[in-house]
Each structure stands twice: as C-alpha cells, then as structure tokens.
Amino acid sequence: MVGGQAETNKITKRACTTCRQSKIKCNSSETFPAPCSNCQRLKKECRSDASFRRKPVRGRLEEVERQLDRIKRAQSHQDDSSLSPPSQGGQQITPNSSIDGSYGISLDTTNPFGLNSIDVGFTQVSPQSLEDYLLSGPEIATLFKKFAIHYIPHFPVLDTRMSINILHQTNPLLFWTIILISSRHQEALSGVYMNLLSKQLVEPIRSLYTIHALLIYCLWPIPSRKQILDSSWNYCGFAVSAAIRMGLHQSDATWEYDFSQFSAQDIEIRRRTWVGCFIVSTYLSSDLGLPNVIGPAMDLDVAMKMNTARDPLALQFEIERQVSRFSTTMSQRGGSLVRSSLIHMFDAELKLMSDQVLAASSQVLEILYLGAKLSLYSFSLLGETAASTEIHHIDPSTKAIWYLGFETAIKLTHLYSSITDPPHYTYPKHHFWILLSSGYYLLKFLSINTNVTPSESELARNSIRLVYSILQSWSVQSLDEPSRIARIISLLANAELQNTLHQFRRLNRRPPLSIVADVMEMTAWLRAKLKKEGKGKEAMSVSELNAAGEGLVTIMEPVLLDDDALWEGLDEWLRSEGDMSGSLLLPYPEEGFGG
C-alpha cells in the first residue's frame, strides 16, 4: 500500500509534456486539477505522459517567437481602427485577398507556411511521423511548397500564417491532410491517415483548421474503388455542421464566440471558411444530384460581403451560388415550357458574370463558369430519352437550350485540352466530373436529337474523342480515375454507335438531377440489359461500323459490352480482371470524321 502511494505521488509530480519539451519548471502538481501555469498562459493542453520523449528541434527560438506573437495577436483585443478600411493609397491587393467596403482586409499570402523563410537545406522543418509513416524535414517542406503553389489557388481559404512545425503542433489533421493531397494519396499514408481522421471525427469539431482539413479532403479525396465508398459527402456534412455551430454563417458575434477576441484577419478567415463550406457542398450536391447541405437562405450574410470584382474566391462563390439556386429550383420539375423558361432566366443571370470571368484571366474560373452553364442546360435533356423525343413534340425553346449545351460542352472540351499549368492532377475531383459531363452531354445530344446534321455529328464525335484522349493522357496507371472515366466514355460511345442507348426507357421514375447521376443510371441499365439477355453483345466490327456510319467511323479494337470488369462502371469503379490492354480504345479515328 505504501509502495502504491509512493508511485502515485511520483506520477503526480511529473512535469507535463509541454514543460518537458521546453525544459522549463512545471507546477502541475500544485495547480492540479487545473493546468500548470505555463499551459494556462500558452493555452495548451496540460497532460503527463510517462512515455513522452522530448523532440530535439533546430531553430526552435525563432519558431517560439512566431508562436508567441500569434498567441498575443489572438488574445489581444483589436482596436476599432484595425477593422476599418485602410486608405486606398497604402492598400496592398494580393491574388487571394478579399477586399470590400465592410472589411478592407488583405490576406498576406506572400509567405505561406513560412516557406520563404526556410533555409535551402530545410533544416528548420522537423521530421514527423504518423504511426509507422515517416517523413524527413526536406520531404515535408517540398510537399508543402507543392501544395502552396498548385493546390491553394483552387481553394484560397486556408490560414497560411503559421509555420509548418507550428501547424503540426496545432492541428495534426490539417498537416497530414496537406501531406496526403500533395503526395497524391500515397498508399502507405492513406491507411494511417484514415485512422487519424476517424479519431478526430469522434470528438466535437471546434477548430477552423479541422474544418479546413475536411474541406480540402472533399476536394481531393482518396480514390475509391466504388463511388459509394467515397465519404466526401459525409465529411462535408461534418464541416458544415461544425461551421454553423461556430457561427461562421453569421456576420455578428454569438454568445459563444465574441469577435472582439479575433484580429481583423482572423475574422476574414472565418468568413472565407464559410464561403469554402458553401462552395464544396455545392460541388458535391451538383455532381451527385443531391440537395445542397447549405440552404439558400444561409449564405445571404456572406453574399453581402463578397466583392467579385477583386476577389477570385468571391467570383467562385457567386458561380456556385447560381448553381445552388437553379439546382434547387429545377428540382421541382415543372412542365417542359416552365423548365425552358427557368433555364433561360438563370442563363441570363449567368451571362451577367461572363465579363468578370474573362477579366479574371483564370482558366480555373472559366472552367467552373462553363461547367455551371452546362449543368443548367443539362436539365433540358436529363429527363429525355430517344423514345420520348420520338413520341412527344420537342418545342423549339427546348431544342435551342440543347444547342447551347452542345456549344458549351465543346468549349469545355477544348479548354481542358489546353491545361498545362497547373498540372491536371492538382485540379479538384469536381473538375473531372465536369469533363465527364461534357463528353456525356454530347453523347446524350446525339442519342435523343433526331435532327442532328452530319457536321454537328462530326463535331460532337470529334469532341468526344478529345475527351477520351485527354483522360487517357492524364492517366498514369491502367485503372486510375482518369483511365476509368475514359473507359466509361468508351463504353457509352460504343453503345451510342450501336443505337443501344435508343432502347433505354425511363418508366415511372423521376429523372436524375445531374449528368453524373444520369451516367450512373445509364451504365446500370446497360449492365442489367446485358445480364437479362444472358450473353454479351460484342461491339460491331470495323466493316459493320463503317457501313452504319457511311464510312465515317473506324473502330480500332472491338469492346465487349458485357465485360464485368468494365461494367462495374462509374458507381463501382472499374477493376482489372485479366489482361485488357489494347481492348478499350475509343471507336473514333484520330483524323476525325471528315475523310
């Protein structure tokens, strides 16, 4: 008993991990159960750990000074003058700034994560490990630099003021999410990362950095063999719920979060985080054909603060706000005339943004803008099939919308073909869906439009081939996501050439609310049709296709439409079953359809 009491006293008097790391005197035994004086001052978690080993860190003094400065700024009450707009003459505008008459705040993005202050050898960046996954300081610095250059421009929401080492101490989840994404989802890291993420989601989310981690994961998720296993929709829900709980959707302080404790840039980052929540949730809802997690009324405060003329993020937000509005309205499914009128109305609103998009000189924004227009136009044909257009009269207004989508899909295809910098793999997953939507829209256009001219057919098929070629050029492995999407395009193209798509009937079912969802439904129907027939239907031979297309089509290899490995399709990502090399070429010639 005496021995037990002695052991207890020994554990109680042990210094906490924070004090042991800093080699300073700890009074945790005197303040127990409250944190020790040092942890209270630094707002750190005070805990003892018998297995703790101090981590030697080079250049620690400089980091501590930056950390103390950060803490002082967060704790100090800012003067009202810091929230007032600065004079026009001394105001600096950066690419990721958000500047308007209300805040006048310019986020400093010139030194993200302190990368510009790190020496050539990256000795100031500490090595880190996640379970048995190890990274050296130079490896970490290189990955963070790649993330800052190529990924942040797609989503300029993150707080990049902290150094890499302090970010790891403050929020390991965001640190390792950045590592995961910039390393292109290394298999060795993916498993241990998911363990970290699962542990994080068990606890209440009360950190902006955790919300940031969830949002960027939703943009660049770990590839899934089955799309139903992609949990981005769920993680987005976690992020939005936490953001609402923290009052990010409100412009005024709450009982729990007094804005006077935040600096002007902290308030701006909170605002941009809510904008990020809205953008990501709209991406996912428009891709999957699901209701937006954020209701249309909850973004009004944010909308009043955005200035699309100066802030690319604000313009991105405005594009997605239009997508959310017309998706919600079009989901009510009125008659064809009402639907056409609504599409024209929303199209007029989108056209008002065209000058701003062009003025931004951003390929990313142009793709998002055209993708929004294509998503709007697609509502005119998602509910149509070849059978329905033969039976029912298609009014001229609806056909005019079909051709607007036709032109937009071709523009998108050629815009994607010009992507060189940043690399394609740094684009969020939503952009892959836009490219797939472009190819499928053209296939659907050919399938249901009975009055397509030869020149229109040639233009559409050449653009479909270009979509396929782009995806194949992006592929680095036989079954990565670009290759899988390319194979889906190949299969649907063969089915369209054989008039198989004309046999599709939608009986007593509401049409899907997105092109991606329509692709899933179409591939599922084709697979079920082949299974019901009990045997595979081989693609038409070269001579048969040439005869059917009056010499305009050349197929390089036949494609088996009942191949289980292929028909796992979009909703159950394709899996390799045997050697399929050379058997999945798109049945369109390189030279086009004119000769």
Side-chain angles (χ1 to χ4, degrees), residues 319-364:
I319 292 172
E320 298 312 317
R321 193 163 72 96
Q322 293 292 339
V323 172
S324 179
R325 288 181 63 229
F326 70 63
S327 297
T328 301
T329 303
M330 300 304 297
S331 65
Q332 304 304 317
R333 300 186 180 89
S336 59
L337 292 178
V338 174
R339 185 174 60 219
S340 297
S341 298
L342 289 172
I343 292 175
H344 282 297
M345 180 188 73
F346 284 114
D347 187 38
E349 294 185 11
L350 281 171
K351 286 179 179 178
L352 295 176
M353 303 174 58
S354 60
D355 290 341
Q356 291 177 310
V357 173
L358 292 176
S361 299
S362 169
Q363 191 177 53
V364 172

mmCIF file of all heavy atoms in Angstrom, residues 319-364:
data_model
loop_
_atom_site.group_PDB
_atom_site.id
_atom_site.type_symbol
_atom_site.label_atom_id
_atom_site.label_comp_id
_atom_site.label_asym_id
_atom_site.label_seq_id
_atom_site.Cartn_x
_atom_site.Cartn_y
_atom_site.Cartn_z
ATOM 1 N N ILE A 319 -20.488 32.019 -58.664
ATOM 2 C CA ILE A 319 -20.824 30.984 -59.652
ATOM 3 C C ILE A 319 -21.579 29.843 -58.979
ATOM 4 O O ILE A 319 -22.634 29.389 -59.454
ATOM 5 C CB ILE A 319 -19.548 30.458 -60.347
ATOM 6 C CG1 ILE A 319 -18.929 31.546 -61.232
ATOM 7 C CG2 ILE A 319 -19.864 29.213 -61.178
ATOM 8 C CD1 ILE A 319 -17.572 31.176 -61.793
ATOM 9 N N GLU A 320 -21.040 29.372 -57.859
ATOM 10 C CA GLU A 320 -21.669 28.235 -57.183
ATOM 11 C C GLU A 320 -22.987 28.637 -56.529
ATOM 12 O O GLU A 320 -23.880 27.803 -56.361
ATOM 13 C CB GLU A 320 -20.709 27.645 -56.143
ATOM 14 C CG GLU A 320 -19.416 27.110 -56.737
ATOM 15 C CD GLU A 320 -19.641 26.212 -57.949
ATOM 16 O OE1 GLU A 320 -20.564 25.370 -57.908
ATOM 17 O OE2 GLU A 320 -18.911 26.365 -58.944
ATOM 18 N N ARG A 321 -23.128 29.892 -56.145
ATOM 19 C CA ARG A 321 -24.402 30.348 -55.606
ATOM 20 C C ARG A 321 -25.490 30.267 -56.672
ATOM 21 O O ARG A 321 -26.634 29.896 -56.398
ATOM 22 C CB ARG A 321 -24.295 31.779 -55.073
ATOM 23 C CG ARG A 321 -25.494 32.204 -54.226
ATOM 24 C CD ARG A 321 -25.147 33.439 -53.397
ATOM 25 N NE ARG A 321 -25.050 34.611 -54.235
ATOM 26 C CZ ARG A 321 -26.047 35.483 -54.431
ATOM 27 N NH1 ARG A 321 -27.224 35.263 -53.851
ATOM 28 N NH2 ARG A 321 -25.877 36.546 -55.175
ATOM 29 N N GLN A 322 -25.134 30.610 -57.911
ATOM 30 C CA GLN A 322 -26.086 30.476 -59.014
ATOM 31 C C GLN A 322 -26.425 29.009 -59.256
ATOM 32 O O GLN A 322 -27.583 28.653 -59.511
ATOM 33 C CB GLN A 322 -25.513 31.112 -60.283
ATOM 34 C CG GLN A 322 -25.360 32.618 -60.225
ATOM 35 C CD GLN A 322 -26.698 33.343 -60.192
ATOM 36 O OE1 GLN A 322 -27.724 32.790 -60.585
ATOM 37 N NE2 GLN A 322 -26.691 34.574 -59.715
ATOM 38 N N VAL A 323 -25.415 28.138 -59.180
ATOM 39 C CA VAL A 323 -25.650 26.698 -59.357
ATOM 40 C C VAL A 323 -26.617 26.183 -58.299
ATOM 41 O O VAL A 323 -27.553 25.422 -58.590
ATOM 42 C CB VAL A 323 -24.325 25.920 -59.305
ATOM 43 C CG1 VAL A 323 -24.584 24.404 -59.281
ATOM 44 C CG2 VAL A 323 -23.434 26.278 -60.478
ATOM 45 N N SER A 324 -26.399 26.603 -57.057
ATOM 46 C CA SER A 324 -27.273 26.157 -55.969
ATOM 47 C C SER A 324 -28.703 26.643 -56.183
ATOM 48 O O SER A 324 -29.668 25.899 -55.966
ATOM 49 C CB SER A 324 -26.732 26.682 -54.634
ATOM 50 O OG SER A 324 -27.561 26.288 -53.561
ATOM 51 N N ARG A 325 -28.840 27.877 -56.648
ATOM 52 C CA ARG A 325 -30.173 28.439 -56.855
ATOM 53 C C ARG A 325 -30.923 27.698 -57.956
ATOM 54 O O ARG A 325 -32.075 27.292 -57.777
ATOM 55 C CB ARG A 325 -30.068 29.934 -57.195
ATOM 56 C CG ARG A 325 -29.668 30.815 -56.027
ATOM 57 C CD ARG A 325 -29.606 32.274 -56.428
ATOM 58 N NE ARG A 325 -30.924 32.751 -56.837
ATOM 59 C CZ ARG A 325 -31.166 33.424 -57.957
ATOM 60 N NH1 ARG A 325 -30.164 33.691 -58.793
ATOM 61 N NH2 ARG A 325 -32.385 33.824 -58.252
ATOM 62 N N PHE A 326 -30.273 27.520 -59.125
ATOM 63 C CA PHE A 326 -31.034 26.882 -60.206
ATOM 64 C C PHE A 326 -31.210 25.386 -59.974
ATOM 65 O O PHE A 326 -32.201 24.803 -60.408
ATOM 66 C CB PHE A 326 -30.450 27.203 -61.586
ATOM 67 C CG PHE A 326 -29.128 26.592 -61.948
ATOM 68 C CD1 PHE A 326 -28.936 25.222 -62.052
ATOM 69 C CD2 PHE A 326 -28.044 27.421 -62.251
ATOM 70 C CE1 PHE A 326 -27.721 24.678 -62.421
ATOM 71 C CE2 PHE A 326 -26.819 26.885 -62.620
ATOM 72 C CZ PHE A 326 -26.663 25.506 -62.713
ATOM 73 N N SER A 327 -30.290 24.749 -59.265
ATOM 74 C CA SER A 327 -30.464 23.321 -58.959
ATOM 75 C C SER A 327 -31.665 23.115 -58.047
ATOM 76 O O SER A 327 -32.457 22.177 -58.229
ATOM 77 C CB SER A 327 -29.200 22.761 -58.305
ATOM 78 O OG SER A 327 -28.097 22.827 -59.184
ATOM 79 N N THR A 328 -31.797 23.976 -57.034
ATOM 80 C CA THR A 328 -32.937 23.878 -56.124
ATOM 81 C C THR A 328 -34.245 24.128 -56.855
ATOM 82 O O THR A 328 -35.242 23.415 -56.658
ATOM 83 C CB THR A 328 -32.790 24.890 -54.980
ATOM 84 O OG1 THR A 328 -31.566 24.639 -54.276
ATOM 85 C CG2 THR A 328 -33.950 24.783 -54.003
ATOM 86 N N THR A 329 -34.251 25.122 -57.731
ATOM 87 C CA THR A 329 -35.472 25.460 -58.465
ATOM 88 C C THR A 329 -35.836 24.378 -59.475
ATOM 89 O O THR A 329 -36.998 23.952 -59.559
ATOM 90 C CB THR A 329 -35.300 26.799 -59.196
ATOM 91 O OG1 THR A 329 -34.957 27.815 -58.254
ATOM 92 C CG2 THR A 329 -36.579 27.196 -59.912
ATOM 93 N N MET A 330 -34.848 23.904 -60.239
ATOM 94 C CA MET A 330 -35.122 22.923 -61.280
ATOM 95 C C MET A 330 -35.513 21.568 -60.704
ATOM 96 O O MET A 330 -36.128 20.750 -61.385
ATOM 97 C CB MET A 330 -33.907 22.771 -62.194
ATOM 98 C CG MET A 330 -33.487 24.042 -62.916
ATOM 99 S SD MET A 330 -34.795 24.793 -63.895
ATOM 100 C CE MET A 330 -35.110 23.504 -65.087
ATOM 101 N N SER A 331 -35.151 21.301 -59.457
ATOM 102 C CA SER A 331 -35.506 20.014 -58.844
ATOM 103 C C SER A 331 -37.008 19.888 -58.618
ATOM 104 O O SER A 331 -37.502 18.790 -58.352
ATOM 105 C CB SER A 331 -34.772 19.844 -57.517
ATOM 106 O OG SER A 331 -35.208 20.810 -56.568
ATOM 107 N N GLN A 332 -37.736 21.013 -58.714
ATOM 108 C CA GLN A 332 -39.189 20.952 -58.540
ATOM 109 C C GLN A 332 -39.882 20.319 -59.741
ATOM 110 O O GLN A 332 -41.027 19.911 -59.659
ATOM 111 C CB GLN A 332 -39.740 22.364 -58.321
ATOM 112 C CG GLN A 332 -39.102 23.104 -57.162
ATOM 113 C CD GLN A 332 -39.201 22.338 -55.862
ATOM 114 O OE1 GLN A 332 -40.252 21.774 -55.540
ATOM 115 N NE2 GLN A 332 -38.112 22.310 -55.102
ATOM 116 N N ARG A 333 -39.187 20.284 -60.881
ATOM 117 C CA ARG A 333 -39.652 19.577 -62.079
ATOM 118 C C ARG A 333 -41.036 20.029 -62.561
ATOM 119 O O ARG A 333 -42.012 19.298 -62.471
ATOM 120 C CB ARG A 333 -39.686 18.064 -61.838
ATOM 121 C CG ARG A 333 -38.334 17.468 -61.489
ATOM 122 C CD ARG A 333 -38.457 15.958 -61.414
ATOM 123 N NE ARG A 333 -37.197 15.358 -61.088
ATOM 124 C CZ ARG A 333 -36.796 15.137 -59.839
ATOM 125 N NH1 ARG A 333 -37.559 15.480 -58.837
ATOM 126 N NH2 ARG A 333 -35.630 14.578 -59.609
ATOM 127 N N GLY A 334 -41.090 21.248 -63.079
ATOM 128 C CA GLY A 334 -42.324 21.702 -63.705
ATOM 129 C C GLY A 334 -42.425 21.131 -65.117
ATOM 130 O O GLY A 334 -41.637 20.281 -65.545
ATOM 131 N N GLY A 335 -43.400 21.610 -65.899
ATOM 132 C CA GLY A 335 -43.550 21.161 -67.267
ATOM 133 C C GLY A 335 -42.411 21.634 -68.144
ATOM 134 O O GLY A 335 -41.585 22.455 -67.729
ATOM 135 N N SER A 336 -42.355 21.144 -69.368
ATOM 136 C CA SER A 336 -41.234 21.454 -70.256
ATOM 137 C C SER A 336 -41.148 22.943 -70.560
ATOM 138 O O SER A 336 -40.063 23.514 -70.629
ATOM 139 C CB SER A 336 -41.360 20.658 -71.555
ATOM 140 O OG SER A 336 -42.581 20.970 -72.223
ATOM 141 N N LEU A 337 -42.314 23.605 -70.741
ATOM 142 C CA LEU A 337 -42.299 25.035 -71.038
ATOM 143 C C LEU A 337 -41.820 25.837 -69.839
ATOM 144 O O LEU A 337 -41.040 26.791 -69.985
ATOM 145 C CB LEU A 337 -43.697 25.493 -71.469
ATOM 146 C CG LEU A 337 -44.193 24.951 -72.812
ATOM 147 C CD1 LEU A 337 -45.610 25.431 -73.096
ATOM 148 C CD2 LEU A 337 -43.257 25.375 -73.952
ATOM 149 N N VAL A 338 -42.287 25.452 -68.659
ATOM 150 C CA VAL A 338 -41.825 26.127 -67.437
ATOM 151 C C VAL A 338 -40.337 25.903 -67.250
ATOM 152 O O VAL A 338 -39.579 26.826 -66.908
ATOM 153 C CB VAL A 338 -42.615 25.622 -66.212
ATOM 154 C CG1 VAL A 338 -42.042 26.212 -64.924
ATOM 155 C CG2 VAL A 338 -44.085 25.952 -66.353
ATOM 156 N N ARG A 339 -39.912 24.670 -67.482
ATOM 157 C CA ARG A 339 -38.490 24.348 -67.332
ATOM 158 C C ARG A 339 -37.645 25.166 -68.296
ATOM 159 O O ARG A 339 -36.604 25.709 -67.918
ATOM 160 C CB ARG A 339 -38.286 22.848 -67.575
ATOM 161 C CG ARG A 339 -36.859 22.363 -67.330
ATOM 162 C CD ARG A 339 -36.799 20.855 -67.442
ATOM 163 N NE ARG A 339 -37.219 20.418 -68.762
ATOM 164 C CZ ARG A 339 -37.961 19.339 -68.996
ATOM 165 N NH1 ARG A 339 -38.413 18.615 -67.996
ATOM 166 N NH2 ARG A 339 -38.283 18.991 -70.236
ATOM 167 N N SER A 340 -38.064 25.279 -69.526
ATOM 168 C CA SER A 340 -37.308 26.057 -70.504
ATOM 169 C C SER A 340 -37.235 27.528 -70.106
ATOM 170 O O SER A 340 -36.184 28.169 -70.224
ATOM 171 C CB SER A 340 -37.950 25.924 -71.892
ATOM 172 O OG SER A 340 -37.906 24.591 -72.342
ATOM 173 N N SER A 341 -38.357 28.059 -69.619
ATOM 174 C CA SER A 341 -38.373 29.461 -69.199
ATOM 175 C C SER A 341 -37.419 29.695 -68.035
ATOM 176 O O SER A 341 -36.688 30.698 -68.000
ATOM 177 C CB SER A 341 -39.798 29.877 -68.799
ATOM 178 O OG SER A 341 -40.677 29.774 -69.892
ATOM 179 N N LEU A 342 -37.403 28.774 -67.090
ATOM 180 C CA LEU A 342 -36.500 28.908 -65.945
ATOM 181 C C LEU A 342 -35.039 28.829 -66.380
ATOM 182 O O LEU A 342 -34.184 29.581 -65.894
ATOM 183 C CB LEU A 342 -36.811 27.821 -64.909
ATOM 184 C CG LEU A 342 -38.119 27.976 -64.132
ATOM 185 C CD1 LEU A 342 -38.378 26.729 -63.300
ATOM 186 C CD2 LEU A 342 -38.061 29.204 -63.230
ATOM 187 N N ILE A 343 -34.744 27.923 -67.295
ATOM 188 C CA ILE A 343 -33.366 27.782 -67.766
ATOM 189 C C ILE A 343 -32.914 29.066 -68.456
ATOM 190 O O ILE A 343 -31.797 29.552 -68.232
ATOM 191 C CB ILE A 343 -33.239 26.572 -68.711
ATOM 192 C CG1 ILE A 343 -33.435 25.264 -67.925
ATOM 193 C CG2 ILE A 343 -31.874 26.564 -69.403
ATOM 194 C CD1 ILE A 343 -33.445 24.026 -68.793
ATOM 195 N N HIS A 344 -33.767 29.622 -69.285
ATOM 196 C CA HIS A 344 -33.409 30.879 -69.952
ATOM 197 C C HIS A 344 -33.211 32.011 -68.940
ATOM 198 O O HIS A 344 -32.327 32.855 -69.107
ATOM 199 C CB HIS A 344 -34.495 31.256 -70.967
ATOM 200 C CG HIS A 344 -34.424 30.475 -72.245
ATOM 201 N ND1 HIS A 344 -33.339 30.533 -73.101
ATOM 202 C CD2 HIS A 344 -35.314 29.602 -72.816
ATOM 203 C CE1 HIS A 344 -33.557 29.739 -74.143
ATOM 204 N NE2 HIS A 344 -34.742 29.167 -73.998
ATOM 205 N N MET A 345 -34.034 32.034 -67.904
ATOM 206 C CA MET A 345 -33.918 33.073 -66.885
ATOM 207 C C MET A 345 -32.581 32.968 -66.149
ATOM 208 O O MET A 345 -31.852 33.955 -65.994
ATOM 209 C CB MET A 345 -35.069 32.964 -65.886
ATOM 210 C CG MET A 345 -35.027 34.027 -64.787
ATOM 211 S SD MET A 345 -36.269 33.735 -63.500
ATOM 212 C CE MET A 345 -35.538 32.320 -62.646
ATOM 213 N N PHE A 346 -32.238 31.759 -65.696
ATOM 214 C CA PHE A 346 -30.975 31.580 -64.983
ATOM 215 C C PHE A 346 -29.778 31.766 -65.923
ATOM 216 O O PHE A 346 -28.713 32.234 -65.502
ATOM 217 C CB PHE A 346 -30.929 30.194 -64.333
ATOM 218 C CG PHE A 346 -31.767 30.070 -63.098
ATOM 219 C CD1 PHE A 346 -32.874 29.232 -63.065
ATOM 220 C CD2 PHE A 346 -31.460 30.796 -61.961
ATOM 221 C CE1 PHE A 346 -33.655 29.122 -61.925
ATOM 222 C CE2 PHE A 346 -32.232 30.684 -60.801
ATOM 223 C CZ PHE A 346 -33.332 29.849 -60.786
ATOM 224 N N ASP A 347 -29.965 31.409 -67.178
ATOM 225 C CA ASP A 347 -28.890 31.602 -68.147
ATOM 226 C C ASP A 347 -28.573 33.087 -68.309
ATOM 227 O O ASP A 347 -27.404 33.484 -68.426
ATOM 228 C CB ASP A 347 -29.285 30.996 -69.492
ATOM 229 C CG ASP A 347 -28.150 31.010 -70.496
ATOM 230 O OD1 ASP A 347 -26.991 30.784 -70.092
ATOM 231 O OD2 ASP A 347 -28.413 31.253 -71.690
ATOM 232 N N ALA A 348 -29.613 33.911 -68.309
ATOM 233 C CA ALA A 348 -29.405 35.363 -68.413
ATOM 234 C C ALA A 348 -28.622 35.886 -67.209
ATOM 235 O O ALA A 348 -27.765 36.773 -67.346
ATOM 236 C CB ALA A 348 -30.751 36.068 -68.522
ATOM 237 N N GLU A 349 -28.881 35.320 -66.016
ATOM 238 C CA GLU A 349 -28.155 35.752 -64.824
ATOM 239 C C GLU A 349 -26.692 35.312 -64.892
ATOM 240 O O GLU A 349 -25.794 36.053 -64.482
ATOM 241 C CB GLU A 349 -28.834 35.185 -63.578
ATOM 242 C CG GLU A 349 -30.226 35.749 -63.336
ATOM 243 C CD GLU A 349 -30.822 35.260 -62.039
ATOM 244 O OE1 GLU A 349 -30.089 34.649 -61.234
ATOM 245 O OE2 GLU A 349 -32.029 35.484 -61.813
ATOM 246 N N LEU A 350 -26.452 34.121 -65.399
ATOM 247 C CA LEU A 350 -25.070 33.658 -65.538
ATOM 248 C C LEU A 350 -24.306 34.500 -66.554
ATOM 249 O O LEU A 350 -23.112 34.778 -66.378
ATOM 250 C CB LEU A 350 -25.050 32.185 -65.955
ATOM 251 C CG LEU A 350 -25.288 31.153 -64.846
ATOM 252 C CD1 LEU A 350 -25.466 29.761 -65.440
ATOM 253 C CD2 LEU A 350 -24.124 31.147 -63.853
ATOM 254 N N LYS A 351 -24.985 34.909 -67.614
ATOM 255 C CA LYS A 351 -24.309 35.700 -68.644
ATOM 256 C C LYS A 351 -23.836 37.045 -68.117
ATOM 257 O O LYS A 351 -22.866 37.618 -68.625
ATOM 258 C CB LYS A 351 -25.235 35.906 -69.842
ATOM 259 C CG LYS A 351 -25.408 34.650 -70.699
ATOM 260 C CD LYS A 351 -26.351 34.895 -71.864
ATOM 261 C CE LYS A 351 -26.487 33.630 -72.713
ATOM 262 N NZ LYS A 351 -27.450 33.822 -73.839
ATOM 263 N N LEU A 352 -24.495 37.560 -67.080
ATOM 264 C CA LEU A 352 -24.074 38.819 -66.481
ATOM 265 C C LEU A 352 -22.693 38.712 -65.844
ATOM 266 O O LEU A 352 -22.026 39.729 -65.608
ATOM 267 C CB LEU A 352 -25.096 39.268 -65.429
ATOM 268 C CG LEU A 352 -26.501 39.626 -65.943
ATOM 269 C CD1 LEU A 352 -27.425 39.947 -64.783
ATOM 270 C CD2 LEU A 352 -26.432 40.789 -66.917
ATOM 271 N N MET A 353 -22.258 37.474 -65.557
ATOM 272 C CA MET A 353 -20.956 37.260 -64.923
ATOM 273 C C MET A 353 -19.850 37.023 -65.936
ATOM 274 O O MET A 353 -18.678 36.940 -65.558
ATOM 275 C CB MET A 353 -21.039 36.052 -63.981
ATOM 276 C CG MET A 353 -22.091 36.160 -62.906
ATOM 277 S SD MET A 353 -22.222 34.626 -61.971
ATOM 278 C CE MET A 353 -20.552 34.465 -61.386
ATOM 279 N N SER A 354 -20.187 36.901 -67.205
ATOM 280 C CA SER A 354 -19.192 36.493 -68.197
ATOM 281 C C SER A 354 -18.030 37.475 -68.292
ATOM 282 O O SER A 354 -16.875 37.066 -68.410
ATOM 283 C CB SER A 354 -19.861 36.333 -69.572
ATOM 284 O OG SER A 354 -20.448 37.553 -69.990
ATOM 285 N N ASP A 355 -18.321 38.780 -68.233
ATOM 286 C CA ASP A 355 -17.246 39.770 -68.332
ATOM 287 C C ASP A 355 -16.283 39.666 -67.150
ATOM 288 O O ASP A 355 -15.067 39.803 -67.311
ATOM 289 C CB ASP A 355 -17.833 41.187 -68.405
ATOM 290 C CG ASP A 355 -18.542 41.451 -69.722
ATOM 291 O OD1 ASP A 355 -18.283 40.709 -70.699
ATOM 292 O OD2 ASP A 355 -19.378 42.375 -69.777
ATOM 293 N N GLN A 356 -16.831 39.410 -65.962
ATOM 294 C CA GLN A 356 -15.978 39.271 -64.779
ATOM 295 C C GLN A 356 -15.098 38.033 -64.887
ATOM 296 O O GLN A 356 -13.928 38.052 -64.492
ATOM 297 C CB GLN A 356 -16.835 39.202 -63.521
ATOM 298 C CG GLN A 356 -17.537 40.511 -63.185
ATOM 299 C CD GLN A 356 -18.435 40.370 -61.969
ATOM 300 O OE1 GLN A 356 -19.254 39.447 -61.890
ATOM 301 N NE2 GLN A 356 -18.282 41.265 -61.011
ATOM 302 N N VAL A 357 -15.666 36.958 -65.407
ATOM 303 C CA VAL A 357 -14.883 35.726 -65.564
ATOM 304 C C VAL A 357 -13.742 35.950 -66.555
ATOM 305 O O VAL A 357 -12.598 35.540 -66.309
ATOM 306 C CB VAL A 357 -15.788 34.566 -66.028
ATOM 307 C CG1 VAL A 357 -14.958 33.339 -66.362
ATOM 308 C CG2 VAL A 357 -16.812 34.232 -64.953
ATOM 309 N N LEU A 358 -14.034 36.587 -67.668
ATOM 310 C CA LEU A 358 -12.993 36.854 -68.663
ATOM 311 C C LEU A 358 -11.936 37.807 -68.111
ATOM 312 O O LEU A 358 -10.743 37.649 -68.374
ATOM 313 C CB LEU A 358 -13.624 37.432 -69.926
ATOM 314 C CG LEU A 358 -14.517 36.480 -70.738
ATOM 315 C CD1 LEU A 358 -15.161 37.221 -71.900
ATOM 316 C CD2 LEU A 358 -13.711 35.286 -71.249
ATOM 317 N N ALA A 359 -12.376 38.809 -67.340
ATOM 318 C CA ALA A 359 -11.436 39.773 -66.778
ATOM 319 C C ALA A 359 -10.498 39.128 -65.770
ATOM 320 O O ALA A 359 -9.364 39.592 -65.583
ATOM 321 C CB ALA A 359 -12.199 40.918 -66.121
ATOM 322 N N ALA A 360 -10.953 38.052 -65.131
ATOM 323 C CA ALA A 360 -10.113 37.371 -64.141
ATOM 324 C C ALA A 360 -8.944 36.635 -64.783
ATOM 325 O O ALA A 360 -7.957 36.321 -64.118
ATOM 326 C CB ALA A 360 -10.954 36.391 -63.321
ATOM 327 N N SER A 361 -9.050 36.338 -66.083
ATOM 328 C CA SER A 361 -7.986 35.632 -66.823
ATOM 329 C C SER A 361 -7.558 34.366 -66.095
ATOM 330 O O SER A 361 -6.364 34.087 -65.943
ATOM 331 C CB SER A 361 -6.777 36.560 -67.034
ATOM 332 O OG SER A 361 -7.136 37.696 -67.786
ATOM 333 N N SER A 362 -8.538 33.616 -65.631
ATOM 334 C CA SER A 362 -8.270 32.386 -64.884
ATOM 335 C C SER A 362 -8.923 31.210 -65.594
ATOM 336 O O SER A 362 -10.146 31.184 -65.782
ATOM 337 C CB SER A 362 -8.817 32.505 -63.452
ATOM 338 O OG SER A 362 -8.795 31.257 -62.796
ATOM 339 N N GLN A 363 -8.109 30.250 -65.992
ATOM 340 C CA GLN A 363 -8.634 29.062 -66.653
ATOM 341 C C GLN A 363 -9.533 28.274 -65.715
ATOM 342 O O GLN A 363 -10.547 27.704 -66.127
ATOM 343 C CB GLN A 363 -7.483 28.195 -67.147
ATOM 344 C CG GLN A 363 -7.897 27.064 -68.070
ATOM 345 C CD GLN A 363 -6.708 26.286 -68.590
ATOM 346 O OE1 GLN A 363 -5.876 25.815 -67.824
ATOM 347 N NE2 GLN A 363 -6.608 26.180 -69.896
ATOM 348 N N VAL A 364 -9.174 28.249 -64.430
ATOM 349 C CA VAL A 364 -9.968 27.518 -63.446
ATOM 350 C C VAL A 364 -11.361 28.123 -63.343
ATOM 351 O O VAL A 364 -12.376 27.406 -63.370
ATOM 352 C CB VAL A 364 -9.270 27.534 -62.073
ATOM 353 C CG1 VAL A 364 -10.187 26.947 -61.000
ATOM 354 C CG2 VAL A 364 -7.970 26.757 -62.118
#
